[in-house]
Amino acid sequence: MRIVLGVGGGIAAYKVASLLRLFTEAGHDVTVIPTEAATRFVGVATWEALSGHPVSNSVFDEVHTVNHVRLGHEAELIVVAPATADLLARAATGQANDLLSNTLLMAGGCPVLMAPAMHTEMWQHPATQANVETLRSRGITVLEPASGRLTGSDSGPGRLPEPEAIFEAALALAGAPPVPATAPLPASDAVLSSAPGPLAGLTVTVSAGGTREPLDPVRFLGNRSSGKQGVALAAAARDAGAKVRLLAAHMDVPPPSGVNVVNVETALELRKAALHAAADSDVIIMAAAVADFRPADVSGTKIKKRDDVADPVISLVRNPDILRELVETRDAASRRQLIVGFAAETGDADGDVLDYAAAKLRRKACDLLVVNHVGQDKVFGEDTNSVVILSRAGSEPQEASGSKSDVAAAVIDRISAELSRVVPPA
Ligand SMILES: Cc1cc2nc3c(=O)[nH]c(=O)nc-3n(C[C@H](O)[C@H](O)[C@H](O)COP(=O)(O)O)c2cc1C
């Protein structure tokens, strides 16, 4: 498919290089049109090298081809990311003062998707909202921005959705066959056939265990997760009739029979496997203990203890928030999917465990959050557990305790109930 990728002058322009890669690796022919401001964030050389096409932002380059007319006519899909407040305004008012805005005016019949990104104040400003309204009324798909950390220390709605989410939404808009955002999983990942039960016919992906973040070839940063709760959830989902895929980080227990296992080591590997698995999952249960941070540098050789140099200092960088990305990807693709998160919380003088858990549920925007009260029960490695299940739909918190199998059965029952509330049985 011939795609025009317009890039606006926002800080999130760098993320669009990954979006471009997703399009080209899926076999699409992409012409990038950055605005003048966008080239201050990411240079023309990056767009030319990654797209394999010359890049311009002026109607006066290559005038003999009348670029904006040709691009507007030939495009089968136009994606604008990040769509700045300025670009939304220019598109809504039909301005034609650079190559991208001219091309947008020339694009008669092809689908157009705009992915805004800006500070919350700019996004919520009545002028921007009116422009979005106008564009939507003309049939342009304007994605909702994601919520979270913005350029400075502030956070709120205004983040560019993750490249995978924009990729999926754009292809869905263009009616292209769904192409996984990551390389296809091996054939052995095909989920197994299932038994009758409340989840019969559904595909459930469960993550379990603790990720390990390498420091050098022999050392890693890990956590105490045994994988027992995730394994019990996978078994309970299987017994409820689901086809189950288990994304297994490090576990002290074997995976259950009758589920397909995708082994992962690090948070980044788990992220890739989870985003891929999301494409065909009706339910995703993220029970793995995912490292929040990983070492900034991984040594290719064992870090040596030496008397002549100072002891090493380990710097950490933040891992992506997989749960939030899954929610963003689902919402951007308007996919029907139930997403369940797990959280370990403690209370303090400012709030009890449920207050903190409710705030986390709002932040993550998953459908159910299963909360362990840390410090009250030892959770890691034990055979028993005690949790509270919170629902975004606002129903009463539900307590469950007993063996990890008992807790898993309660969570799966709750998932079945949530699904039947959304989609009544035929
Ligand atoms: C560091 C920096 C970050 C910016 N980030 C954004 C942004 O995320 N969204 C936005 O709408 N404008 C942002 N701006 C402002 C735009 O660059 C400015 O409105 C520009 O005129 C947009 O031009 P364009 O729409 O032609 O790309 C940013 C400016 C700077 C200097």
Side-chain angles (χ1 to χ4, degrees):
M1 178 165 45
R2 265 189 285 241
I3 300 176
V4 166
L5 179 58
V7 185
I11 200 87
Y14 75 94
K15 288 190 180 177
V16 178
S18 305
L19 176 62
L20 171 57
R21 281 309 271 266
L22 290 172
F23 283 134
T24 55
E25 282 172 9
H28 300 291
D29 179 31
V30 187
T31 300
V32 182
I33 312 182
T35 62
E36 228 260 283
T39 60
R40 290 172 169 247
F41 293 90
V42 179
V44 165
T46 300
W47 304 120
E48 291 192 333
L50 292 181
S51 69
H53 287 297
V55 165
S56 156
N57 51 39
S58 165
V59 282
F60 297 106
D61 287 338
E62 295 184 70
V63 176
H64 63 286
T65 66
V66 201
N67 244 340
H68 63 289
V69 175
R70 181 180 61 79
L71 288 166
H73 283 166
E74 287 179 359
E76 293 162 274
L77 168 69
I78 299 183
V79 176
V80 181
T84 54
D86 174 66
L87 264 174
L88 293 169
R90 287 198 279 136
T93 51
Q95 292 180 48
N97 47 5
D98 64 3
L99 183 58
L100 180 55
S101 49
N102 275 275
T103 306
L104 282 167
L105 281 181
M106 285 301 307
C110 89
V112 178
L113 179 142
M114 303 183 87
M118 63 200 73
H119 269 82
T120 305
E121 292 82 347
M122 291 174 87
W123 171 247
Q124 290 176 343
H125 194 284
T128 305
Q129 287 301 309
N131 291 330
V132 169
E133 210 39 53
T134 302
L135 291 166
R136 285 180 176 157
S137 72
R138 292 193 196 126
I140 290 179
T141 299
V142 183
L143 296 182
E144 284 296 312
S147 270
R149 181 93 189 266
L150 302 170
T151 311
S153 56
D154 48 346
S155 63
R159 271 169 66 92
L160 187 73
E162 289 306 317
E164 287 81 3
I166 302 173
F167 172 76
E168 291 205 8
L171 291 193
L173 180 67
V179 182
T182 50
L185 291 172
S188 64
D189 181 63
V191 278
L192 301 176
S193 62
S194 55
L199 299 186
L202 299 185
T203 297
V204 175
T205 294
V206 182
S207 72
T211 60
R212 290 179 160 184
E213 309 297 321
L215 272 164
D216 69 15
V218 293
R219 304 183 182 95
F220 57 84
L221 297 181
N223 60 62
R224 294 181 195 280
S225 173
S226 65
K228 287 179 184 173
Q229 187 63 74
V231 163
L233 283 158
R238 175 203 59 199
D239 294 345
K243 303 167 186 174
V244 179
R245 178 190 287 123
L246 180 68
L247 308 180
H250 174 77
M251 306 195 306
D252 295 339
V253 290
S257 60
V259 308
N260 268 294
V261 180
V262 177
N263 289 305
V264 296
E265 176 93 3
T266 63
L268 293 181
E269 285 175 21
L270 176 58
R271 170 184 178 271
K272 188 171 177 185
L275 288 173
H276 181 80
D280 73 352
S281 297
D282 301 290
V283 177
I284 304 177
I285 307 173
M286 290 299 287
V290 185
D292 287 330
F293 302 98
R294 65 181 184 277
D297 300 304
V298 181
S299 170
T301 53
K302 187 180 170 201
I303 301 167
K304 306 276 190 307
K305 190 168 55 176
R306 286 172 47 177
D307 292 333
D308 54 337
V309 290
D311 290 344
V313 174
I314 301 169
S315 309
L316 300 176
V317 289
R318 199 180 279 212
N319 275 325
D321 185 335
I322 304 173
L323 187 58
R324 198 172 63 196
E325 270 188 74
L326 286 168
V327 171
E328 285 174 10
T329 307
R330 175 196 65 186
D331 293 349
S334 304
R335 190 184 294 139
R336 183 175 286 175
Q337 186 176 68
L338 194 105
I339 300 180
V340 184
F342 270 66
E345 282 296 338
T346 53
D348 61 19
D350 294 328
D352 68 12
V353 173
L354 283 187
D355 295 332
Y356 284 111
K360 187 164 201 162
L361 178 61
R362 280 194 298 278
R363 254 191 345 266
K364 303 274 181 179
C366 54
D367 302 288
L368 294 176
L369 189 69
V370 181
V371 185
N372 286 123
H373 188 165
V374 178
Q376 191 182 55
D377 300 289
K378 284 203 209 93
V379 179
F380 290 120
E382 298 283 310
D383 290 324
T384 56
N385 201 358
S386 170
V387 301
V388 179
I389 307 170
L390 299 184
S391 158
R392 194 156 71 100
S395 39
E396 280 296 296
Q398 176 191 340
E399 294 192 11
S401 59
S403 70
K404 287 192 172 170
S405 300
D406 294 337
V407 168
V411 172
I412 295 297
D413 278 353
R414 184 58 188 266
I415 289 171
S416 309
E418 293 280 322
L419 287 171
S420 60
R421 224 168 35 80
V422 181
V423 190

